[in-house]
Amino acid sequence: MERRHPTLADVARVAGVSKATASRAINGAYGTSPTVRDHVRSVAARLGFAPHVAARALATGRGGPHRRDRIEVLIVDPDPAAMSAKPFYGRVLAGAMRALGGENLSLEVRRVAAAPSDEDDAPFGRLLINLPGAAGAALARRSRTVALGRSAPGVVFVAPDNDSGGSQAAAHLVATGRARIGAVFGPSTPCADERRAKFLRVMAGAGLSVAAVDGDFTRSTAYAATRELLRREPELDAVFAACDVTAMGVLRALRETGRRVPHDVAVVGFDGSALAEAADLSSVYMPVEEEAASAVRRLLDPALPPAGRLPTTLTVRGSS
């Protein structure tokens, strides 16, 4: 019987590391210490493991042992127009690229409609956006992982101070005398849930109820949701939008139904993107670029202390 050739999985098992770490150590890729590289290569030599460069290049499409390793920005968003329609993602990429600087790492962006299953060809590190907790935890077992927003217990995350942002938006509307409040909230992600919960708590503390609908951070859904809110509550005098893209749909619906902003209805968004400035929209600013940069720095050096919650600040403009 022909003797079976040892595989990368055999090397990883004997060396006591993951396949991804074994591959990086053997190839001299970024992300393994000299001690780990020497250990893995010693095990590979002892087992008689000989990687086939051409086969590996064909399998991965990445050009063999001298390829640059990569950080993957994994975005779960069912909106096919998400990358062009939502400024948040562009700001994430700008911050991630700034943090990479001169490192010999590439940045790979992948948008998927639903959380992917575990994969064999794990990158050096992953930046997770909108990943459900269980899916995030599964991916974190394969490579270094940092989430933007809370994920599963044990998964490192960086997030804005959504509580403070939701509180500032609500307090501003109360302070300016608005009493018939509507809201177009976001999908059930940790960050959206946090800003929603705090906004509602502040309004309840002021003795005000909120006519609320759920959205999905798209302009079209926000437009339809606002039309529905106005049918239910025609005397609304304020609307809180869970993000600036949502606010664009809110503003369109108000304009088409003859409501003047801010005279009849005040509008406050969340993100502080370029959209807010262009539309003269009051919005809670999130330091998205710094959030992404901090996450990438943590991927590069897991020994860094947690970033903590990054501050959010309401900028008041003409919409409120």
Side-chain angles (χ1 to χ4, degrees), residues 11 60-61 138 156 163 198 221 228 240 272 285 287:
V11 174
T60 65
V156 175
D163 276 2
K198 189 63 174 184
T221 297
E228 174 60 26
F240 172 60
Y285 175 78

Side-chain angles (χ1 to χ4, degrees), residues 130-131 148-151 162 187-195 309:
N130 303 334
L131 264 288
L148 296 189
R150 285 186 299 107
S151 186
N162 291 293
S188 185
T189 64
C191 284
D193 289 346
E194 289 166 359
R195 66 189 67 157
R309 293 282 181 164

Side-chain angles (χ1 to χ4, degrees), residues 89-134:
Y89 297 133
R91 295 177 67 192
V92 167
L93 298 183
M97 292 173 68
R98 184 176 71 202
L100 280 178
E103 299 289 356
N104 189 31
L105 285 162
S106 61
L107 192 67
E108 179 178 287
V109 183
R110 185 156 62 113
R111 184 201 64 83
V112 293
S117 58
D118 201 5
E119 299 164 301
D120 185 56
D121 184 27
F124 163 71
R126 279 191 173 103
L127 191 61
L128 306 181
I129 303 177
N130 303 334
L131 264 288

Side-chain angles (χ1 to χ4, degrees), residues 228-266:
E228 174 60 26
L229 272 179
L230 293 171
R231 281 192 290 270
R232 286 164 38 192
E233 304 287 343
E235 301 303 315
L236 282 179
D237 63 6
V239 178
F240 172 60
C243 77
D244 291 347
V245 174
T246 294
M248 297 303 105
V250 172
L251 290 170
R252 178 188 164 201
L254 293 173
R255 182 175 64 249
E256 290 187 2
T257 55
R259 270 73 169 185
R260 296 171 301 164
V261 176
H263 303 87
D264 301 323
V265 183

